[in-house]
Amino acid sequence: MSKRILLACAGGFSTSMLVEKMKEEAIKRGEDVFIEACSESKITENLPADIIMLGPQMGHIEDEVKELVNNEMPVTTIDMADYGMMNGGKVLDVAFELMNNG
């Protein structure tokens, strides 16, 4: 069964490029994963997910989002350097580590 990764940012636009990089990396690795971007206001509409990853500009609401999902899945803020470099492989690594280890 595929894992579902949800990336959220203020408008949902800046993460879409990172989503594409992550998808390319997942295909290279043979990973069965569904990756999608949304805006902050659409998080609940896009659940369930196996992990929610917030854009760096959204780090201040990480605790709020954890409460929103009752800590039922990992919620993390994407590293600013990885986000800026659109390092899909590194962000995918973090996602899988958190999904597998909580």
Side-chain angles (χ1 to χ4, degrees), residues 22-100:
M22 291 172 72
K23 285 179 179 177
E24 289 169 16
E25 187 64 31
I27 289 167
K28 276 188 219 168
R29 297 179 185 185
E31 296 284 2
D32 183 16
V33 63
F34 179 80
I35 308 166
E36 174 174 60
C38 73
S39 65
E40 171 188 353
S41 62
K42 303 259 188 222
I43 291 173
T44 52
E45 292 172 33
N46 285 281
L47 295 176
D50 292 293
I51 186 170
I52 299 172
M53 303 185 85
L54 304 173
Q57 74 279 23
M58 307 262 301
H60 65 282
I61 67 159
E62 186 175 321
D63 289 338
E64 206 176 297
V65 175
K66 285 178 181 176
E67 280 181 37
L68 181 74
V69 298
N70 297 316
N71 288 309
E72 291 174 10
M73 68 202 67
V75 176
T76 191
T77 302
I78 300 167
D79 179 79
M80 192 174 293
D82 293 335
Y83 190 86
M85 302 279 290
M86 292 287 145
N87 189 338
K90 183 74 187 303
V91 177
L92 198 59
D93 289 342
V94 170
F96 277 113
E97 185 174 328
L98 289 171
M99 285 187 291
N100 293 332

